[in-house]
Amino acid sequence: MNRAGAAEKWHFECNGRLSIKNNTAAADTSARTFQLKELTMTKIAATQTKLTDETPVELQEMAAAIEALPQRYRDAVAPALARVVECSTRRRRILNLVQEALSQLRLDMKYLIFDLEATRRERDQYKEMLEKDQS
């Protein structure tokens, strides 16, 4: 293969056509662009799967509206949507953890109050027994 042929690379252009470029730097840049687009589409797909249970209806509606946009606008907005969905999911998980912790704290407080009342009853019984023994 000649020197010019060694520098030729196959790559996808922005519009999805497969072509040959002699410029290695241009091919690398285009390949990176394709990888970024692929990553963005993966994020959109991941966002769509996360939208099922945990996300509010408003975010699901926004995702549907973004999905209806033309590709170039969708690519610009999709990363922001993915971050919002991720933050919303994280906040919901944190809220659930806090609610579980509060429920456990309430239960622990009930046990402690019960134990305190039982201890007070025992103390009062022992006091009465001591007073009877002393008199």
Side-chain angles (χ1 to χ4, degrees):
M1 194 189 286
N2 63 15
R3 188 176 178 123
E8 289 180 352
K9 287 196 173 188
W10 289 89
H11 72 283
F12 286 99
E13 291 179 353
C14 294
N15 60 7
R17 290 181 305 172
L18 188 61
S19 65
I20 299 174
K21 291 281 186 178
N22 284 331
N23 187 345
T24 305
D28 290 342
T29 304
S30 182
R32 279 191 226 116
T33 303
F34 180 73
Q35 289 172 348
L36 286 175
K37 284 188 177 196
E38 201 171 83
L39 182 64
T40 302
M41 294 308 291
T42 304
K43 281 186 178 182
I44 291 172
T47 301
Q48 292 296 330
T49 58
K50 287 182 185 178
L51 288 175
T52 55
D53 307 347
E54 302 175 350
T55 47
V57 175
E58 294 84 5
L59 279 179
Q60 293 177 6
E61 291 171 357
M62 183 183 293
I66 289 173
E67 195 65 32
L69 291 173
Q71 183 69 33
R72 63 182 176 155
Y73 298 120
R74 195 176 337 143
D75 290 345
V77 179
L81 175 66
R83 287 192 305 271
V84 169
V85 169
E86 184 180 321
C87 289
S88 174
T89 303
R90 188 177 334 113
R91 285 185 185 132
R92 185 168 303 273
R93 285 185 193 141
I94 290 170
L95 179 63
N96 287 339
L97 288 173
V98 169
Q99 288 174 338
E100 288 175 15
L102 283 173
S103 295
Q104 185 63 43
L105 180 63
R106 286 186 190 109
L107 182 64
D108 290 346
M109 288 295 295
K110 286 180 182 180
Y111 280 125
L112 287 172
I113 290 171
F114 173 78
D115 189 39
L116 179 64
E117 290 173 355
T119 303
R120 284 180 179 165
R121 281 193 301 270
E122 288 176 357
R123 180 200 61 194
D124 292 343
Q125 287 176 353
Y126 286 130
K127 264 186 172 179
E128 285 179 23
M129 289 172 54
L130 274 175
E131 288 174 1
K132 285 181 184 176
D133 286 345
Q134 288 179 357
S135 40

